[in-house]
Each structure stands twice: as C-alpha cells, then as structure tokens.
Amino acid sequence: MEMLLTELEFRALWTPELIIALIGVALIYSWFFRRTNAGPKRKPLFFFLGLAALYLGWGSPLYVTGHVMMTLHMLQMVFAYFIAVPLLLLGIPQAWYEAVRSKLAFKPLRLVWNPICALLLFNGLFSFYHVPAMFDMLMQSPVLHSLYEWVLLFTAALMWWFILSPLPSSYKLPDLRRIFYIFANGLLITPACALIIFAPSAMYATYTDPLVWANVMAYCLPGGAGPELMLSAFGTPESLSIFEARIDQQLAGVLMKIFQEIVYGISIGYVFKQWLKKEKLQDGELTISDVPHS
C-alpha cells in the first residue's frame, strides 16, 4: 500500500478538480450566508464539515486505496452517505429551504418525496451496489460508477431529510415515527452487511482478480495508464493489501455496520432532543394559557 501511495501522482491521489469544485461551493455558500444573514453561526460549520466529509468519501486518497482494500472502500461510503449528507442538510438555513419550496414546491419529486420511498430507495440501491456482479461492473465503468454515486447521494439526502426534518412539510414524520424510521433504516441495511461479513469466500473480483483490479485502477489514473502497466508496476491487489481478501471483506462489512449504528444512534439522540424541546415549549404554552387574565 505504501508503494502505491508513493508512486501515484498528485492528481490521482488528491483529485484537485474536486477540491476546486468544493471550494467553489463553500465560497458561494459563504457569500449567500453573509448576504442573507440566514441563520445560526453553527450552520456554516455543519456545511463545511459536510463538504470535507464528502471530499474524504469521493476524492481523497481513500478513493484510490478503496480500490485495493474493501475496508477503505466502506470507509468512503460512511463519509459520503452517512456523515457528509446529514451535515450538509443541517448546514443549509431553513430560510433557503423555504425559498426553494415556495418556487418549486417539489412537484417534480412528489413520486419519491415520501418517507417509505426514500427508505426503500436508498437502502435498496446501497445493497444492490454491493451485489458482487454489480459492484465489479460499476468499478470498471467510470461513467456508470459516477452516475450511481450521484444517485446514491440524492437518495441518501432524501432518506436523511425525513430523519432530520429540516423543514416542516406535509410529509413530516412525527417524532416517535422518526425514531422507528431510523431503526427501519438500520434493519434494511443489515442484509447487505451480513452478506459481506458471512460470505464463505471473497466475492469481489475487484479485490481478487488481478486483471479486473488492474482495469479498475487504470481508470482511476490520469495519463491513460493501461492494465498491463498497473500489473507490472504494482503486482496484484492482494500483494498491496494489509489483509487477506476474505478478512478484508469481513472487516468492511463490520465497519459499515458499526459506523452506521453509531451514526443512527446519534440521530436518535438528535430526534429525541428535538422531541423534548418541543414538549417543553408546548407545556410552557399550556401553562401560560391556563393563567387567568384580569
């Protein structure tokens, strides 16, 4: 692994074009936030942390090394879809959501803009992504892989929308149902994790077949490096990995399940805190209304 990191060029390791794009988004966000004075000062912190997590998932050295070790690939997924997305949603001021809703009313998205559809879409697409044949095919097709990542990001945002409930809407879930909704997400993602953990052998050609791996890596590198060059320069994926392929696969599944449980546990705490705050406000209003007026 160290040899791979040493030999790869700056662009292959750090994806500077993504850095530039995310910095551009951060600058635009900062300009609008200062201009509109849209919300609490913690909002930009959430948003910038979300951009940083998205970069770790999509463009940092994790992206390249995730093609060598599945454990690192799963870490990418955690950063992109379980950390970046909720932080980005929390970082957008409510006034901006209101402005967008007043103009679009989410009409084009009504078919999917409901909690059940969001629940099934994200978890279904996430699980389908990790079916071995699908995974190996996507990893060897940069265009399809990028498209699938964007679709996953959209469905993750849809799923997290109903957990965080950043804007009241006709589809808002009551607080208790939001907690059950989080549990449902955890249950639906479990079969994919279990398949990866308990498979009797390494399932993904990306991490076991030298020709498939070399083809995948060749697409990641600029300058038109072919699979033959990758094999002659670095050998096989297992020679670069820290763990044997099946152990790496099992660790990947365990890592995803643990991190997912941690993130969803934090989310339950967030929802419960909102629930208590709402109850206190309602109790306060009730107490005031019970005071007789002179």
Side-chain angles (χ1 to χ4, degrees):
M1 182 70 74
E2 184 179 351
M3 180 181 69
L4 179 69
L5 295 175
T6 303
E7 293 295 327
L8 292 179
E9 298 177 2
F10 176 83
R11 185 184 175 196
L13 276 177
W14 299 100
T15 323
E17 58 269 30
L18 181 61
I19 295 176
I20 293 171
L22 293 178
I23 289 175
V25 171
L27 291 174
I28 293 171
Y29 173 94
S30 299
W31 184 82
F32 272 106
F33 192 87
R34 287 196 302 269
R35 185 178 176 85
T36 59
N37 194 22
K41 300 301 181 183
R42 67 178 179 274
K43 290 286 185 181
L45 176 61
F46 288 147
F47 193 82
F48 297 149
L49 287 175
L51 291 179
L54 187 60
Y55 173 71
L56 288 173
W58 277 11
S60 69
L62 279 177
Y63 181 78
V64 174
T65 54
H67 293 69
V68 178
M69 292 181 60
M70 193 174 185
T71 305
L72 298 179
H73 162 77
M74 279 301 185
L75 197 56
Q76 286 179 256
M77 305 293 281
V78 169
F79 276 119
Y81 307 113
F82 292 91
I83 297 177
V85 173
L87 285 173
L88 291 171
L89 288 176
L90 289 173
I92 297 175
Q94 184 173 325
W96 296 6
Y97 286 126
E98 293 281 5
V100 172
R101 185 175 69 170
S102 65
K103 293 185 178 182
L104 298 180
F106 297 123
K107 290 179 182 178
L109 305 176
R110 282 183 179 176
L111 291 176
V112 296
W113 205 270
N114 64 79
I116 300 300
C117 190
L119 182 77
L120 296 177
L121 271 177
F122 174 72
N123 290 288
L125 287 171
F126 184 90
S127 298
F128 188 52
Y129 179 90
H130 289 98
V131 172
M134 185 67 175
F135 183 89
D136 292 328
M137 185 270 290
L138 288 174
M139 294 295 275
Q140 295 181 80
S141 175
V143 175
L144 289 178
H145 188 251
S146 296
L147 179 62
Y148 205 100
E149 284 184 324
W150 279 103
V151 172
L152 262 183
L153 192 73
F154 170 75
T155 56
L158 198 63
M159 180 270 290
W160 278 105
W161 178 272
F162 295 104
I163 291 177
L164 301 175
S165 196
L167 180 67
S169 71
S170 57
Y171 294 116
K172 182 179 178 182
L173 290 172
D175 296 308
L176 183 58
R177 290 186 183 179
R178 285 164 68 194
I179 292 175
F180 283 117
Y181 185 77
I182 296 171
F183 277 114
N185 274 285
L187 287 174
L188 285 178
I189 209 172
T190 299
C193 295
L195 172 68
I196 294 169
I197 295 170
F198 297 110
S201 61
M203 301 184 296
Y204 300 96
T206 298
Y207 301 105
T208 57
D209 187 323
L211 291 177
V212 174
W213 173 78
N215 195 39
V216 171
M217 288 298 296
Y219 283 121
C220 296
L221 302 179
E228 298 81 7
L229 181 60
M230 291 300 305
L231 285 173
S232 62
F234 301 110
T236 66
E238 291 189 81
S239 68
L240 295 172
S241 178
I242 300 173
F243 306 109
E244 185 267 329
R246 182 168 177 264
I247 294 175
D248 178 43
Q249 179 178 292
Q250 291 174 322
L251 287 175
V254 170
L255 182 147
M256 171 53 70
K257 189 58 184 172
I258 289 175
F259 273 96
Q260 169 253 316
E261 293 290 347
I262 291 172
V263 172
Y264 284 160
I266 294 172
S267 302
I268 289 174
Y270 173 83
V271 172
F272 193 69
K273 184 178 178 182
Q274 283 188 322
W275 190 2
L276 288 178
K277 184 177 179 181
K278 191 186 303 179
E279 291 294 324
K280 287 180 180 179
L281 286 174
Q282 290 176 350
D283 290 343
E285 290 172 1
L286 180 64
T287 304
I288 294 172
S289 63
D290 287 342
V291 175
H293 298 280
S294 56

